[in-house]
Amino acid sequence: HGIRIGRDRFFGVLRNHGLLIRKRKRKVFTTDSKHWLRKYPNLIKEFILIAPNQLWVSDITYIVIGTAYGYLSLITDAYSRKIVGFCLSKDLSTRGCMGALKMALKNNAVIKYLIHHSDRGVQYCSYFYVSLLENKEVKISMTENGDPLENAIAERVNGILKEELLEAAYPHFELAQEAVAIAISTYNHLRPHGSISNLTPFEAHSLE
């Protein structure tokens, strides 16, 4: 029709007529707390840490893999900030969390008076997960109102891994697994934390 119009003007016309399509960011949920399984109270509201292996915090985050997602279960020692257990899974079943927990228990065989803290996700409330904690005489603590601040250390560790040490996406699962292992080793052994006197998590954990 012989119309000459610039890009900005064109988008303005579309906007005025409600013809722009808004791209919505896809939200990935890793926590399902609407279940019938027993939920536990928050035991760490006034808890003061003085040594490693007094409090472990757990969480699940997602990693983009191809056109799908992988789910990374992490267990972090709250005092040393060391990731003591991890497992990358292709789904949100209990297997991933169980793998991370078994690794943490294997690598820290001598534990007394330990509290395990997590959100109220169905994985952490499952019979197998709870039974393993109870068999090791680990106290179970959970968030109560869904506030991320109730599990702030776990959330912070997730952020460090994804923002500093992992790529935004991986083409396939095996490559993501390898990258996760390297990132966690780097985090544990090479990255100092101001909250632990600029020690690495591995060094702080060795102070036990």
Side-chain angles (χ1 to χ4, degrees), residues 113-165:
Y113 314 115
L114 173 64
I115 298 174
H116 175 284
H117 184 72
S118 68
D119 58 38
R120 293 182 160 198
V122 65
Q123 301 92 339
Y124 299 118
C125 297
S126 70
Y127 169 80
F128 296 105
Y129 201 89
V130 168
S131 295
L132 183 53
L133 290 172
E134 290 179 338
N135 288 340
K136 297 294 183 178
E137 298 183 345
V138 177
K139 292 182 179 180
I140 302 172
S141 170
M142 294 183 177
T143 59
E144 293 180 346
N145 57 25
D147 186 346
L149 292 177
E150 286 192 88
N151 205 10
I153 293 175
E155 296 277 351
R156 175 62 179 145
V157 171
N158 286 350
I160 290 172
L161 288 177
K162 295 179 75 172
E163 293 167 14
E164 299 181 17
L165 300 171

Side-chain angles (χ1 to χ4, degrees), residues 27-195:
K27 191 171 179 63
V28 182
F29 294 94
T30 57
T31 302
D32 174 15
S33 59
K34 296 179 180 179
H35 53 77
W36 56 269
L37 295 167
R38 178 185 174 185
K39 302 175 180 72
Y40 294 76
N42 188 337
L43 303 178
I44 67 169
K45 291 179 180 178
E46 307 295 332
F47 193 76
I48 299 175
L49 291 164
I50 59 173
N53 286 335
Q54 292 183 324
L55 172 62
W56 289 352
V57 294
S58 302
D59 199 18
I60 305 171
T61 191
Y62 71 91
I63 295 174
V64 179
I65 303 176
T67 58
Y69 298 97
Y71 300 94
L72 178 59
S73 299
L74 296 168
I75 299 181
T76 303
D77 182 88
Y79 177 84
S80 67
R81 303 298 200 269
K82 181 184 178 183
I83 297 172
V84 292
F86 67 93
C87 181
L88 182 65
S89 180
K90 293 181 179 179
D91 57 40
L92 277 169
S93 68
T94 308
R95 285 192 300 268
C97 292
M98 287 291 290
L101 179 57
K102 288 178 179 178
M103 177 188 289
L105 292 170
K106 180 180 178 181
N107 293 336
N108 297 271
V110 181
I111 50 174
K112 290 183 179 180
Y113 314 115
L114 173 64
I115 298 174
H116 175 284
H117 184 72
S118 68
D119 58 38
R120 293 182 160 198
V122 65
Q123 301 92 339
Y124 299 118
C125 297
S126 70
Y127 169 80
F128 296 105
Y129 201 89
V130 168
S131 295
L132 183 53
L133 290 172
E134 290 179 338
N135 288 340
K136 297 294 183 178
E137 298 183 345
V138 177
K139 292 182 179 180
I140 302 172
S141 170
M142 294 183 177
T143 59
E144 293 180 346
N145 57 25
D147 186 346
L149 292 177
E150 286 192 88
N151 205 10
I153 293 175
E155 296 277 351
R156 175 62 179 145
V157 171
N158 286 350
I160 290 172
L161 288 177
K162 295 179 75 172
E163 293 167 14
E164 299 181 17
L165 300 171
L166 290 170
E167 299 293 336
Y170 293 93
H172 55 80
F173 187 79
E174 290 72 19
L175 186 60
Q177 274 187 314
E178 181 181 352
V180 164
I182 293 172
I184 290 176
S185 180
T186 301
Y187 168 89
N188 277 341
H189 292 88
L190 299 178
R191 190 188 187 281
H193 284 251
S195 59

